[in-house]
Amino acid sequence: LDNRFYENAVVFDTNGAGSALLGVAQSGPPDEGDATRALAISPDGRTIVACNIVSGNVAILDAATETVRAYVDTGVRVWDAAITPDGAWAVVTNTDGNSVTVIDLATDTAAVTLNVPTRPTEVEISPDGQFAYVTTIAGTERLARIALNGAASAVVGSVPTGQLGTLQYTYGVSSGIA
């Protein structure tokens, strides 16, 4: 049972060199929001994206009604989110999934999930909403640049940064982006 970071039952084949992961199943009810780690608030203050590190999803909240509009599965160990200045898109980092998910906030669905090297952690969006910048840690410290265009969003480059930090058991990092 993996109850440290997730709520899963994990099955392994332990046959020496042929050992393998056979499967993973949730041990709790679906569409839950456990261990919210970070929030992103739309510029108009109406939408909140809550990163649920244990559930591997985000909750999209309506701030006026104080209700959950939707849960969107994003990836393993959801770490951070940012919302574009026009409120159309959210960008979410999935640290242990080595990916970034772009969410369409008009439909509350994942538009695209992009591979990003080694543990994407923090995300900021350019003032014009054209690009997301994502830090990666614990191996290939880089700053990835993502061109935001809905389902056609793409990683368009990255630069090495030097040591940005490491994951800690308290879910912290030792650096940031602004």
Side-chain angles (χ1 to χ4, degrees):
L1 294 177
D2 179 2
N3 61 5
R4 172 74 173 127
F5 296 113
Y6 312 103
E7 292 183 348
N8 294 326
V10 183
V11 180
F12 292 95
D13 175 349
T14 57
N15 186 18
S19 297
L21 170 67
L22 298 179
V24 177
Q26 286 185 325
S27 62
D31 288 340
E32 57 189 40
D34 283 340
T36 301
R37 189 204 181 283
L39 300 172
I41 301 171
S42 64
D44 65 7
R46 295 181 182 172
T47 303
I48 300 169
V49 175
C51 301
N52 301 315
I53 197 165
V54 171
S55 301
N57 64 24
V58 296
I60 300 175
L61 305 138
D62 182 309
T65 63
E66 299 178 1
T67 58
V68 176
R69 289 188 340 213
Y71 288 96
V72 180
D73 291 329
T74 57
V76 183
R77 209 167 182 190
V78 182
W79 197 273
D80 194 21
I83 298 175
T84 56
D86 63 4
W89 307 98
V91 179
V92 178
T93 61
N94 310 303
T95 300
D96 286 353
N98 296 326
S99 65
V100 172
T101 301
V102 178
I103 297 173
D104 182 339
L105 293 176
T107 63
D108 295 340
T109 59
V112 66
T113 297
L114 305 168
N115 293 328
V116 177
T118 314
R119 294 192 157 166
T121 51
E122 293 157 326
V123 57
E124 291 288 336
I125 296 178
S126 62
D128 63 7
Q130 299 295 307
F131 296 95
Y133 295 90
V134 176
T135 60
T136 64
I137 63 168
T140 57
E141 277 77 3
R142 300 187 73 79
L143 179 67
R145 183 176 191 214
I146 298 170
L148 295 175
N149 187 19
S153 297
V155 178
V156 293
S158 70
V159 294
T161 60
Q163 181 66 27
L164 281 171
T166 186
L167 294 176
Q168 302 165 0
Y169 287 109
T170 57
Y171 301 107
V173 294
S174 59
S175 62
I177 180 174

